[in-house]
């Protein structure tokens, strides 16, 4: 298997479990004991009870109060950890000496009641942002999240609903991977793409529909349903997962269940007890609480309010607390009541899966002042390749993310088929595979949207998202009042950001710029994460500036600023040829498939979406059929409608000349984008049928079959084909792929220098072309 596949699939996932520091306290030991804990790290005070209880989970409560030498106090719950063991988990927020006192609801149990001790918090020498800056809290102005020391925190989440219940830490079925840990495989992938938040919830009632339980059995949450937790599962799996997330610097957005499914199954009393238990185990972690998924409805609303109040009472860190809600405006009565809860700190929005939210929805939350200014984050909108009231496909997730950020969201939570639903394999149909989710987790892991989320986060960190104020349809700042055009700017007007997802190239006029300042402007390609310079000498004498036409009809972001933004990576501007046109392989053009001058390049092809496990667990991979020279054999993906990525490894840097794609027999019209890369990490667009439709020609040497063909330029080691989604029942098969070399051989050092100079002059040319609107 080629090197980039090994790099992408076979991760080196060494177990780096950062177990909490722990100190045992003897049953009769009333004198003070001491321990040392690094700042922001978890430490466990271990207590062994001399008294036995019929049900230690429900019959006794343990609490502790920690007092810093400065006088700061932190109150926390304790928890039963199996057998006769109880624990209190604590993470210091200040260096220095802390004293603690443990109390018990059974005052006669002197092994749990009246226990005192001293610990010393020392500096944290860890390398993550959480180690350096502390827990995440809400900014002083109530608009976004920051670390404890005030450093900005950009929320880029990934949805892993029910992960504690159904994601495995002992197995991994990613094709070709031997890591043995699905959970770490997913986490490492997201960390490489810049994700900062792991958004999940326990399926507290074990009553929701996900997880493909028959094909991916995981330890049960309960030893006895809703009266006794499975402490082995907590010790050996759930704590391990959260320790790994914390040690890697990921914020855990944690809930305890889902809408009425959990509340109906458990009832209020059992749910409150679980809420106390989970708060006790995880309050000392880098968490924010989202209570549960979709609480804003009857009959679940009141039980979840009670659950959240239990958490608030036992979280002495006062981690930001919210509740994940249904699609609702800020004026809904449920949202009004939610906003009035003493524990409620921010809004965890859901704007659904079958539309792009309107500006007015976000504007309502931005302007809301019923209790206080509160941040909001779009945490569930248009998961990639999801079926939910229609098929989302590929573009909707990216568009939702950019629009939400320009409308005031302090980040975004992405979701994708397979991952959010914890679908384990193509075998079996329990859970959400085949209904809401189109593919298993390993097919969803590297969808194109997950890379584009990194570009989103890179951009908003680069421009300092904390300074941006959404302008909605305020004509004092722009004439971009279309739903498909959004503008935000800084308070002092030195920076403007706009996002356009209209399907033509029109833009608009920015207003309110500082008349005596000089601005620079650049397009940001949301598909590649690179900039295209427009001008560095914009002087808005009248306080306004007409934005030039978009580079293409696709979606683009725009940065306009009067200060030096720092270095950024650029690319050449494309020259648009018109709107996206569907290519129909059955509409033959009067041409034969060109015979290119360059040699036919050998390559190995990989497409995870075509690697299918049958009911017996046997893996079938049809990717070799892409290069077998037989047009009657075909590669087929598991999910026809989902976007597919085909990765070609040329083994060495090669000059490119052309690409031929021979669709399968009776295949649906294909929409294709082609990327190139030198290292398998950084990509550039080589061809896109939205810019320049592929030619459709007859291939006489391939039994008269039709082929899509396009010329390519440049050199690269890797080529990536993005094959867009089509109808659910359509045939998306490909019979053959042919890649031809360009006229140039492997470039020499002198040729590389010439190439760099050529690229420089291309950028100059692109600048002048941008002025002319091309």
């Amino acid at each position: 298997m080629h090197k980039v596949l090994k790099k992408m699939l076979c991760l080196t996932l060494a177990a780096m479990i950062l177990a909490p520091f722990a100190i045992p306290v003897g049953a009769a030991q009333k004198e003070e004991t001491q321990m040392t804990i690094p700042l922001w790290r978890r430490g466990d005070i271990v207590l062994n009870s001399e008294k036995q209880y019929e049900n230690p989970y429900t019959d006794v409560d343990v609490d502790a109060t920690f007092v810093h030498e400065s006088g700061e106090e932190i109150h926390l719950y304790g928890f039963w950890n199996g057998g006769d063991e109880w624990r209190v988990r604590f993470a210091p927020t200040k260096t220095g000496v802390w004293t603690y006192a443990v109390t018990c609801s059974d005052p006669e149990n002197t092994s749990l009641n009246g226990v005192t001790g001293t610990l010393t918090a020392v500096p944290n020498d860890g390398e993550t942002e959480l180690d350096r800056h502390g827990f995440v809290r809400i900014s002083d102005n109530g608009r976004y999240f920051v670390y404890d020391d005030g450093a900005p925190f950009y929320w880029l989440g990934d949805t892993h609903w029910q992960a504690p219940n159904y994601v495995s830490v002992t197995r991994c079925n990613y094709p070709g991977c031997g890591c043995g840990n699905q959970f770490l495989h997913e986490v490492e992938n997201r960390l490489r793409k810049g994700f900062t938040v792991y958004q999940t919830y326990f399926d507290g009632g074990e009553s929701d529909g996900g997880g493909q339980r028959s094909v991916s059995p995981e330890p049960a949450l309960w030893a006895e349903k809703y009266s006794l937790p499975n402490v082995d599962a907590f010790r050996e799996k759930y704590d391990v997962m959260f320790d790994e997330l914390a040690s890697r610097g990921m914020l855990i957005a944690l809930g305890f269940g889902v809408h009425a499914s959990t509340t109906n199954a458990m009832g209020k009393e059992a749910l409150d007890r679980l809420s106390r238990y989970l708060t006790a185990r995880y309050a000392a972690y880098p968490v924010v609480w989202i209570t549960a998924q979709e609480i804003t409805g009857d009959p679940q609303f009141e039980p979840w309010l009670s659950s959240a109040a239990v958490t608030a009472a036992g979280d002495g860190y006062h981690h930001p607390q919210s509740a994940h809600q249904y699609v609702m405006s800020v004026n809904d009565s449920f949202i009004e009541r939610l906003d009035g809860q003493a524990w409620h700190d921010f809004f965890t929005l859901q704007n659904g899966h079958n539309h792009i939210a309107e500006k007015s929805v976000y504007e309502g939350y931005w302007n809301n002042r019923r209790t206080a200014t509160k941040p909001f984050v779009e945490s569930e909108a248009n998961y990639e390749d999801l079926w939910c009231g229609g098929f989302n496909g590929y573009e909707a997730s990216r568009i939702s993310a950019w629009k939400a950020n320009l409308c005031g969201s302090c980040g975004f939570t992405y979701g994708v088929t397979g991952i959010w639903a914890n679908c384990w394999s193509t075998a079996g149909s329990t859970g959400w595979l085949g209904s809401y989710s189109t593919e298993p987790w390993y097919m969803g892991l590297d969808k194109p949207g997950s890379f584009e989320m990194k570009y989103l986060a890179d951009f908003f960190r680069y421009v300092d998202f904390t300074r941006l104020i959404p302008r909605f349809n305020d004509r004092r700042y722009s004439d971009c009042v279309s739903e498909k055009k959004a503008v935000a700017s800084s308070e002092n007007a030195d920076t403007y950001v706009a996002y356009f997802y209209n399907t033509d190239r029109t833009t608009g006029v920015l207003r309110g710029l500082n008349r005596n300042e000089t601005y620079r402007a650049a397009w940001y390609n949301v598909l590649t994460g690179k900039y295209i310079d427009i001008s560095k000498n914009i002087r808005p004498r009248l306080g306004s500036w007409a934005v030039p036409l978009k580079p293409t009809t696709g979606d683009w972001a725009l940065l306009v600023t009067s200060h030096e933004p720092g270095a950024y990576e650029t690319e050449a501007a494309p020259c648009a040829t018109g709107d996206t046109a569907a290519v129909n392989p059955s509409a033959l053009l009067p041409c034969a498939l060109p015979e290119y001058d360059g040699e036919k390049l050998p390559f190995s092809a990989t497409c995870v979406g075509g690697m299918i496990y049958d009911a017996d667990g046997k893996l079938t991979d049809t990717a070799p059929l892409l290069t077998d020279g037989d047009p009657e054999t075909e590669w087929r993906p598991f999910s026809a409608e989902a976007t597919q990525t085909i990765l070609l490894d040329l083994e060495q840097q090669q000059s490119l000349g052309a690409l031929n794609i021979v669709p399968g027999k009776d295949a649906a019209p294909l929409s294709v984008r082609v990327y190139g890369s030198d290292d398998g990490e950084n990509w550039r667009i080589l061809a896109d049928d939205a810019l320049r439709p592929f030619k459709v020609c007859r291939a006489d040497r391939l039994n008269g079959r039709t082929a899509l063909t396009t010329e390519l330029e440049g050199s690269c080691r890797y080529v990536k084909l993005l094959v867009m989604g089509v109808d659910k029942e359509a045939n998306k098969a490909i019979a053959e792929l042919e890649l031809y070399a360009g006229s140039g051989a492997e470039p020499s050092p002198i040729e590389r220098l010439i190439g760099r100079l050529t690229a420089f002059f291309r950028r100059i040319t692109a600048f002048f072309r941008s002025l002319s609107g091309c």
Side-chain angles (χ1 to χ4, degrees):
M1 196 169 287
H2 54 74
K3 294 180 181 178
V4 73
L5 184 60
K6 289 184 179 179
K7 188 173 185 179
M8 296 175 67
L9 309 188
C10 302
L11 306 175
T12 304
L13 301 176
M16 298 169 57
I17 308 299
L18 183 61
F21 296 83
I23 183 169
V25 179
Q29 191 172 357
K30 302 295 290 185
E31 67 275 8
E32 292 187 352
T33 59
Q34 294 189 10
M35 63 189 300
T36 299
I37 312 177
L39 197 64
W40 310 115
R41 294 277 181 86
R42 299 153 306 290
D44 282 4
I45 297 168
V46 182
L47 306 165
N48 294 100
S49 175
E50 294 179 333
K51 190 173 180 179
Q52 293 191 354
Y53 297 91
E54 182 177 347
N55 188 334
Y57 172 67
T58 59
D59 292 352
V60 64
D61 290 332
V62 169
D63 295 82
T65 300
F66 296 79
V67 182
H68 187 255
E69 60 190 52
S70 67
E72 177 182 333
E73 292 190 9
I74 295 177
H75 171 73
L76 299 168
Y77 298 139
F79 60 92
W80 173 64
N81 199 41
D84 65 354
E85 183 180 286
W86 271 257
R87 293 193 175 208
V88 177
R89 188 161 282 165
F90 173 71
T93 57
K94 285 182 170 65
T95 56
V97 177
W98 293 78
T99 59
Y100 62 85
V102 181
T103 60
C104 177
S105 58
D106 180 1
E108 296 180 0
N109 188 342
T110 58
S111 55
L112 300 181
N113 189 59
V115 177
T116 61
T118 302
L119 60 87
T120 301
V122 297
N124 187 329
D125 60 0
E127 297 182 354
T128 72
E129 296 299 294
L130 288 168
D131 288 323
R132 288 193 286 263
H133 302 295
F135 288 157
V136 171
R137 61 177 177 86
I138 291 172
S139 64
D140 293 340
N141 68 359
R143 287 301 188 190
Y144 48 89
F145 295 99
V146 296
Y147 293 97
D148 183 78
D149 64 0
F153 175 85
Y154 182 80
W155 178 300
L156 182 59
D158 194 28
T159 312
H160 301 264
W161 298 138
Q162 303 171 291
N165 300 67
Y166 305 122
V167 171
S168 181
V169 297
T170 59
R171 300 176 303 148
C172 180
N173 65 333
Y174 195 109
C177 177
C179 74
N181 191 324
Q182 174 198 2
F183 167 73
L184 280 182
H185 194 132
E186 291 179 353
V187 169
E188 292 289 351
N189 179 284
R190 288 337 193 203
L191 286 171
R192 289 198 306 274
K193 294 172 181 172
F195 284 80
T196 57
V197 178
Y198 189 94
Q199 185 172 305
T200 189
Y201 65 81
F202 283 87
D203 185 5
E206 291 186 335
S207 54
D208 204 7
Q212 275 192 286
R213 302 171 200 189
S214 66
V215 295
S216 57
E218 290 298 315
L221 174 64
W222 298 101
E224 297 177 15
K225 244 180 184 179
Y226 314 137
S227 63
L228 195 69
N230 181 355
V231 290
D232 289 338
F234 276 93
R235 288 192 301 253
E236 297 170 10
K237 182 181 180 182
Y238 312 146
D239 286 4
V240 168
M241 293 171 70
F242 292 167
D243 283 337
E244 290 284 5
L245 292 170
S247 71
R248 284 163 167 76
M250 290 198 86
L251 179 69
I252 306 163
L254 186 60
F256 305 155
V258 58
H259 45 73
S261 176
T262 298
T263 58
N264 289 345
M266 296 188 66
K268 178 181 177 301
E269 184 177 352
L271 181 57
D272 283 353
R273 176 56 57 175
L274 175 64
S275 302
R276 179 185 172 98
Y277 191 76
L278 294 175
T279 303
R281 289 198 86 108
Y282 302 119
Y285 285 74
V287 297
V288 298
W289 309 106
I290 57 172
T291 303
Q293 186 192 24
E294 298 168 344
I295 82 162
T296 45
D298 287 325
Q300 70 265 32
F301 191 60
E302 291 296 337
W304 282 122
L305 294 186
S306 177
S307 165
V310 170
T311 293
D315 172 19
Y317 300 103
H318 308 294
H319 292 300
Q321 191 166 353
S322 181
H324 183 277
Q325 59 195 61
Y326 277 116
V327 182
M328 289 178 169
S329 79
V330 73
N331 296 320
D332 187 274
S333 60
F334 280 111
I335 303 304
E336 184 174 1
R337 291 173 62 197
L338 185 64
D339 195 10
Q341 302 299 310
W343 49 264
H344 187 266
D345 299 317
F346 70 100
F347 290 99
T348 311
L349 302 188
Q350 176 192 171
N351 272 297
H353 302 288
N354 50 28
H355 71 287
I356 306 294
E358 295 183 354
K359 295 179 189 177
S360 59
V361 174
Y362 295 120
E363 188 173 12
Y365 284 93
W366 179 266
N367 291 329
N368 173 53
R369 299 289 190 282
R370 274 189 297 250
T371 56
T373 300
K374 294 180 179 180
F376 64 87
V377 62
E378 179 56 82
S379 70
E380 186 174 341
N382 293 305
Y383 292 168
E384 189 170 0
D385 285 348
L386 170 80
W387 275 97
C388 186
F391 184 58
N392 285 169
Y394 153 56
E395 308 279 358
S397 182
R398 181 184 71 246
I399 292 170
S400 294
W402 277 92
K403 185 172 185 178
N405 276 263
L406 266 294
C407 289
S409 178
C410 55
F412 185 75
T413 297
Y414 167 77
V416 64
T417 184
I419 302 291
W420 73 270
N422 298 304
C423 299
W424 171 254
S425 172
T426 55
S429 59
T430 64
W432 284 309
L433 184 69
S435 56
Y436 293 116
S437 188
T438 62
E439 297 172 310
W441 74 275
Y442 55 86
M443 292 184 184
L445 192 63
D446 283 315
K447 291 287 179 183
S450 66
F451 295 93
E452 290 159 13
M453 290 301 108
K454 179 182 185 303
Y455 307 147
L456 169 91
D458 287 347
F459 178 87
F460 281 102
R461 293 188 185 109
Y462 177 77
V463 302
D464 188 359
F465 68 96
T466 68
R467 302 176 64 242
L468 296 179
I469 301 170
R471 300 307 181 182
F472 303 108
N473 291 332
D474 192 332
R475 292 182 179 272
R476 292 174 298 173
Y477 298 94
S478 79
D479 65 353
C480 298
V481 296
S482 162
E483 277 299 325
K484 297 185 177 182
K485 300 177 181 181
V487 173
S489 66
S490 59
E491 186 173 12
N492 65 358
D494 70 352
T495 299
Y496 279 66
V497 172
Y499 176 64
F500 304 95
Y501 68 99
N502 48 306
T503 55
D504 56 28
R505 295 180 62 203
T506 63
T507 54
V509 176
L510 301 183
R511 297 171 178 152
L513 289 85
N514 298 317
R515 302 184 180 194
N516 297 320
E517 293 187 15
T518 300
Y519 289 81
R520 60 195 302 163
W523 289 110
Y524 185 73
N525 190 339
V526 298
L527 303 179
T528 64
K530 297 180 178 65
Y531 292 83
I532 300 171
D533 285 324
I534 299 173
S535 174
K536 297 181 180 179
N537 191 33
I538 298 170
R539 298 180 181 179
R541 298 304 187 195
L542 299 178
S544 62
W545 179 63
V547 180
L549 295 175
K550 294 188 302 178
T552 71
T553 57
D555 55 320
W556 287 84
L558 173 74
L559 172 61
V560 179
T561 182
S562 62
H563 64 80
E564 174 57 52
Y568 52 75
E569 190 173 359
T570 61
E571 65 182 15
C575 192
T577 59
D579 295 340
T580 301
V583 178
N584 185 355
S586 64
L588 298 182
L589 298 184
C591 68
L593 191 65
E595 295 291 344
Y596 295 99
D597 294 335
E599 64 174 325
K600 190 174 178 181
L601 294 172
F603 57 82
S604 57
T606 303
C607 179
V608 175
M611 296 181 177
I612 301 170
Y613 290 97
D614 62 21
D616 297 324
K618 181 181 178 182
L619 183 66
T620 300
D621 180 10
T622 58
L625 302 180
L626 291 168
T627 56
D628 66 351
D630 183 354
E632 302 304 316
T633 60
E634 300 175 346
W635 163 85
R636 291 174 179 267
F638 173 69
S639 174
E641 71 273 29
T643 303
Q644 300 294 328
T645 300
I646 301 176
L647 182 67
L648 312 181
D649 184 357
L650 284 62
E651 300 297 339
Q652 61 182 349
Q653 196 83 0
Q654 296 278 7
S655 176
L656 301 179
L659 170 70
N660 295 338
I661 304 172
V662 181
K665 217 168 198 178
D666 303 319
L670 298 179
S671 178
V672 181
R673 184 182 303 143
V674 184
Y675 295 84
S677 175
D678 301 329
D679 56 8
E681 297 287 340
N682 300 288
W683 299 89
R684 56 192 178 275
I685 295 176
L686 302 178
D688 188 338
D689 67 1
L691 305 179
R692 183 182 61 195
F694 286 48
K695 294 179 181 178
V696 185
C697 297
R698 181 186 299 277
D700 292 332
R701 58 186 170 76
L702 294 173
N703 300 340
R705 298 285 289 277
T706 61
L708 309 182
T709 181
T710 185
E711 295 181 355
L712 302 177
E713 292 182 358
S715 65
C716 60
R717 159 76 187 271
Y718 306 102
V719 173
K720 182 166 64 175
L721 276 66
L722 190 63
V723 187
M724 310 300 188
V726 292
D727 294 336
K728 191 171 186 178
E729 303 301 325
N731 178 355
K732 203 177 192 176
I734 297 177
E736 291 293 313
L737 289 179
E738 298 179 338
L739 197 60
Y740 285 85
S743 56
E746 174 66 17
S748 67
I750 294 178
E751 289 173 325
R752 291 182 186 276
L753 176 60
I754 295 173
R756 293 190 185 100
L757 292 174
T758 301
F760 171 75
F761 286 112
R762 280 180 177 173
R763 287 196 291 271
I764 297 296
T765 303
F767 166 70
F768 288 106
R769 288 167 66 186
S770 69
L771 295 181
S772 65
C774 180

